[in-house]
Amino acid sequence: MPISLSVRSFKIRLAVTTGDLAGIGPEVLVKALARWPRRKSVRILVCGAAFSLNALARRFRLPLRFSDIPSREGWEKHKETIPCYFDSKKTLTAATVRSIELAAALALEGRADAVVTPPINKAALKKSGFNIPGHTEFLEKLSHTKRAEMMLVGGPLRVVLVTRHEAIRKVPALITRERVEQTILTTVEELRYSFGIAHPRIAVCGLNPHAGEEGTIGLEERDVITPAVKRAKSLSRAEIHGPLSPDALFVDAYRGRYDAVVCMYHDQGLIPLKMISRGQGVNVTLGLPFVRTSPDHGTAYDIAGRGVADPGSMTEALEMAFQLARNRARR
């Protein structure tokens, strides 16, 4: 007879990366760890070196201590300080990449339940020879996931993007039936699995103004999005509405009519979300074999080192990683 594991006694293990070491990532990480009310049921491992984090904790007079550990095996048993593990001495940019690789490896090995990632800078990585479009794509590759989806959570809104960091002129060609359908289905599955919503309600945006207005403004809604919505409904048995005009549906989403909104391109979803999240938004990657969250801001080189970075979004990312991993553990 299988042994029943009590969720109450289960330790949620978070592997946290350092982000871009030249940006505000380490600062918001240290501040967030001090602000976040750590529970007895949480264990945290930082995939980086303890020295610089201890220096930041002293600078900001935070009651935190970090210590390097020699092995990632059994790291969750380390309780006196926050354990740090890093297995390579590399340049700042390469260390940023290695930190992500280590966190993903821990999750894939079953040594962590969630990965939390401070921001990286895609342009800086590319200049240093790392062709990484972003965390989402890199974690797709590391986990051998066919396609992960980007969800942004802020206030009462959850938005998921069919296309992500693409030039606007390229977006219409990238909106295919398969892509829209897959994004909807992944959203439904994650709302059930990670967010604990048994009967998800999804709104799907149109691409054109007024959702194409019956083909008078554009044909993508008629020829691509509507067929994708119908098929996703039949496969998921979820409540899915659309394509709808985004200038109207976001009011209903804000009021709780929908559990998530599927958007066709980046700014369609992120402008309303960031307007109401007020620096507390969280990026959640859907479709991975582990939970991954991140703050919704960038590296902010212009304020790095000044000690003024707001850890609000990073704090929310830690909390959401804990909540989603706990929901998964309950299944």
Side-chain angles (χ1 to χ4, degrees), residues 25-323:
E27 177 184 339
V28 296
L29 169 59
V30 170
K31 288 180 175 179
L33 288 174
R35 173 188 290 190
W36 188 46
R38 293 172 59 200
R39 300 164 177 81
K40 292 181 179 180
S41 57
V42 176
R43 296 289 183 266
I44 294 173
L45 174 69
V46 178
C47 297
F51 177 80
S52 60
L53 299 176
N54 279 321
L56 284 170
R58 289 192 298 270
R59 176 184 174 185
F60 300 124
R61 298 180 181 180
L62 301 174
L64 296 176
R65 282 188 60 217
F66 300 86
S67 59
D68 295 310
I69 58 175
S71 170
R72 59 198 190 197
E73 289 190 28
W75 68 264
E76 65 274 15
K77 298 176 183 178
H78 190 97
K79 299 178 182 178
E80 293 75 18
T81 59
I82 298 176
C84 299
Y85 177 73
F86 200 65
D87 61 359
S88 180
K89 294 181 179 179
K90 297 186 176 184
T91 64
L92 290 182
T93 305
T96 298
V97 175
R98 183 58 185 151
S99 180
I100 302 169
E101 292 174 338
L102 283 172
L106 284 162
L108 293 170
E109 291 168 4
R111 301 179 193 273
D113 304 295
V115 171
V116 185
T117 60
I120 59 174
N121 185 285
K122 294 178 279 293
L125 289 172
K126 191 170 184 178
K127 289 178 182 177
S128 299
F130 296 95
N131 189 19
I132 299 173
H135 273 114
T136 304
E137 293 81 7
F138 193 36
L139 292 170
E140 274 179 350
K141 180 179 178 181
L142 292 174
S143 63
H144 304 289
T145 300
K146 183 178 179 182
R147 169 79 185 192
E149 308 297 347
M150 179 186 290
M151 171 186 279
L152 278 296
V153 181
L157 296 182
R158 301 182 187 96
V159 303
V160 185
L161 308 178
V162 174
T163 65
R164 300 192 283 256
H165 301 108
E166 303 289 350
I168 288 294
R169 62 183 174 80
K170 296 181 179 179
V171 168
L174 296 172
I175 302 295
T176 65
R177 290 189 188 186
E178 181 182 9
R179 280 293 308 118
V180 175
E181 177 190 320
Q182 183 179 352
T183 304
I184 296 170
L185 292 175
T186 301
T187 302
V188 170
E189 181 180 1
E190 286 279 8
L191 287 174
R192 287 171 173 160
Y193 181 38
S194 297
F195 288 84
I197 300 172
H199 305 288
R201 301 163 302 165
I202 310 291
V204 181
C205 291
L207 174 65
N208 299 294
H210 307 296
E213 207 163 282
E214 299 183 7
T216 61
I217 301 178
L219 301 178
E220 286 84 2
E221 288 76 15
R222 186 194 69 185
D223 297 344
V224 177
I225 302 173
T226 295
V229 168
K230 288 181 178 179
R231 180 164 168 79
K233 279 184 182 180
S234 67
L235 293 174
S236 67
R237 299 182 183 277
E239 183 182 327
I240 306 171
H241 302 268
L244 303 174
S245 181
D247 63 356
L249 77 83
F250 273 106
V251 174
D252 290 334
Y254 181 79
R255 292 173 177 169
R257 173 69 181 82
Y258 307 112
D259 299 304
V261 179
V262 173
C263 302
M264 295 299 115
Y265 58 93
H266 186 278
D267 285 10
Q268 187 180 61
L270 267 61
I271 288 174
L273 182 130
K274 289 193 175 185
M275 184 178 70
I276 60 96
S277 66
R278 299 179 182 273
Q280 307 294 310
V282 178
N283 185 336
V284 182
T285 304
L286 310 182
L288 296 175
F290 51 84
V291 170
R292 179 260 170 168
T293 66
S294 179
D296 72 346
H297 57 72
T299 50
Y301 289 144
D302 58 324
I303 63 169
R306 291 169 51 189
V308 297
D310 181 357
S313 184
M314 186 69 199
T315 307
E316 292 297 321
L318 290 168
E319 176 64 21
M320 184 156 293
F322 168 75
Q323 296 289 348

